[in-house]
Structures are given as structure tokens and as C-alpha cells.
Amino acid sequence: MAEGYELPLLLFAGFRSLIDELHAELAEQGHPDVRPAHGFALQAVGRDGATAGELGRRLGVSKQAAGKTVDRLERLGYVERVDDPDDGRRKLVRLTPRGVDVLTRSAVIFDRLRARWVEALGAERVGELESDLRAVVPVDGVRLDAAGWFGL
């Protein structure tokens, strides 16, 4: 029988292996500076953009920490700050074409990585694994605040 501590370690190792492979491929495809925490932030920006305060709430970090992340992503060319059309006192953070590109490439790479798991384990088994995880993960289990939870 497996020890209880093994399950979270195996789940994390699986996550880590996928993320490491994603970032290696992204680097080869012209995105060498993007980091795992950046992916959470770019997802939190979303299609419609967000203020720094909204980003902080979505990521589970302070507005100041979100602002630092935005500064870094802006320097790397993934986001831009623009005037909020609904409130001239606020700035919106929006994805640039480079930001959209890295998210699009990430989706394609994740599909390819999942296909490798299917090749190794079989489609039925991977489908069952995903189903089983959905059954035990809370409904709001896929949250963008993981970077903040890890203390980043």
C-alpha cells in the first residue's frame, strides 16, 4: 500500500513535468523568458483585460505584487497598460499580440503533451484519470491563485 504522502508528490511531479516540458518548448518557439507564474497571470488578464487590483484578487496576491508581475510582463512584451474606457482614472492590463501568441502556443503544446500521455497510458486510462481527478477536486479546483498559494 502506498504511503499517504506519495499522492500529492506524484500529482505535483506530474504537474511539474508537464510545465517544465511546456516551458522548454516555449523557449524554443521564441518565448525564453516566460515563467510558470506568468502563465497564471496571463490567464488572469484574460481576453477583456483587468486592473491590477482585479489581477491581485484573481491571483491571490496583493495589488502591489500583481503590479510587479505586470511590470515584468510589460517589459517582456506580453501585456500593455491602457486607459480603461469605462473609468478614465483606472488603467487596464491587456494582452499584447505576443501575450496572445504565448497562450495560443501553450494550448497547442499542452494538447501535444496530453497526446504523449495517451500514447503511454492509453486514451481510456488518461480519460479515467481526468474523470477521477474531476470527481475529487472541488468544483472551483482550477484556480488562478496557485502562484500566490505557492508564495510567489
Side-chain angles (χ1 to χ4, degrees):
M1 181 169 156
E3 298 289 332
Y5 68 87
E6 288 183 276
L7 179 60
L9 292 176
L10 288 169
L11 288 169
F12 181 72
F15 171 78
R16 175 74 191 256
S17 69
L18 290 169
I19 297 302
D20 287 349
E21 289 184 60
L22 167 75
H23 284 274
E25 287 196 42
L26 286 174
E28 289 175 10
Q29 294 182 24
H31 296 282
D33 296 321
V34 73
R35 299 290 175 255
H38 297 157
F40 290 108
L42 293 170
Q43 290 290 332
V45 168
R47 291 187 172 131
D48 298 326
T51 65
E54 290 168 336
L55 277 178
R57 284 188 295 282
R58 292 175 188 174
L59 295 171
V61 299
S62 69
K63 181 179 175 181
Q64 292 77 14
K68 287 182 182 182
T69 300
V70 170
D71 289 343
R72 175 86 173 132
L73 290 172
E74 191 173 34
R75 280 193 306 276
L76 293 171
Y78 293 106
V79 300
E80 63 184 352
R81 287 181 169 103
V82 298
D83 291 330
D84 185 336
D86 298 327
D87 185 346
R89 298 168 295 170
R90 297 186 327 170
K91 291 284 188 185
L92 276 182
V93 178
R94 286 196 318 209
L95 298 173
T96 63
R98 183 167 172 77
V100 171
D101 181 66
V102 76
L103 289 177
T104 301
R105 288 175 186 273
S106 294
V108 170
I109 294 166
F110 276 133
D111 285 345
R112 201 167 41 246
L113 292 172
R114 184 185 185 282
R116 278 202 291 182
W117 280 41
V118 165
E119 189 177 307
L121 302 174
E124 185 175 332
R125 196 154 174 214
V126 170
E128 288 170 355
L129 173 63
E130 290 166 334
S131 231
D132 290 345
L133 288 170
R134 282 186 199 100
V136 296
V137 171
V139 174
D140 66 344
V142 180
R143 297 171 33 188
L144 296 174
D145 69 350
W149 184 80
F150 277 114
L152 304 178

